[in-house]
Amino acid sequence: MTMPGDDSAAPHAPRPHPPRETAERSVHISGVTGSVSVGDHNTVHSVYRAGAADDEAHRQLLESIVEFRAGLAQLVRNDQTRTLDAELADAEEEIRTEGRATPGRLARLGELLTGATALTGLLASGQGLVERVRELVGM
């Protein structure tokens, strides 16, 4: 005979059904960041990488990119804003998946931002973005 909570019973042995009142219980989980396992004999393995930046400078750059793109979306679209937004989107994706932006990406972004001083000056988040890129490029 096994006692409740005793996991020494063979895994193939039939388990008694819980009383009807507990069988109708439900589990509601919301707003979870991480891994969740519900039930008997479950295991969870998690590897976190996406959305994480390797260092503080890249975390700040990612925040600046997201903020600047939100402001950029409010402006009239033209070739310059589309090109800049596309490069920013690629940089954002690269940081989220790889943890950092490559030196080539940072150099291209730096050049685009230098040519877009009217845009970076217009948006409050622009100066912060320019500073973050310059720090990482070493300008």
Side-chain angles (χ1 to χ4, degrees):
M1 178 174 165
T2 60
M3 299 300 291
D6 180 5
D7 290 329
S8 63
H12 62 276
R15 295 189 180 267
H17 292 286
R20 180 131 176 93
E21 65 222 31
T22 60
E24 292 180 11
R25 291 182 185 168
S26 64
V27 175
H28 175 77
I29 301 172
S30 66
V32 173
T33 301
S35 302
V36 176
S37 175
V38 178
D40 295 338
H41 309 293
N42 291 322
T43 59
V44 176
H45 302 278
S46 299
V47 176
Y48 295 96
R49 183 69 175 154
D54 282 347
D55 56 39
E56 185 61 28
H58 278 88
R59 278 190 288 280
Q60 289 177 358
L61 176 59
L62 181 59
E63 290 172 10
S64 294
I65 289 172
V66 169
E67 186 179 345
F68 186 78
R69 288 188 70 210
L72 195 59
Q74 304 302 312
L75 300 177
V76 174
R77 304 294 285 179
N78 59 33
D79 288 342
Q80 185 181 32
T81 58
R82 280 189 285 278
T83 301
L84 184 55
D85 187 55
E87 189 64 37
L88 288 166
D90 290 345
E92 180 180 345
E93 179 65 20
E94 188 171 61
I95 295 168
R96 289 188 189 281
T97 59
E98 302 299 322
R100 61 187 325 106
T102 62
R105 168 94 52 218
L106 292 170
R108 284 190 306 276
L109 191 52
E111 289 173 12
L112 283 171
L113 290 169
T114 298
T117 54
L119 292 174
T120 58
L122 181 64
L123 298 172
S125 57
Q127 188 57 39
L129 176 59
V130 170
E131 289 173 11
R132 302 289 180 274
V133 171
R134 284 184 177 160
E135 288 170 6
L136 288 165
V137 172
M139 296 171 80

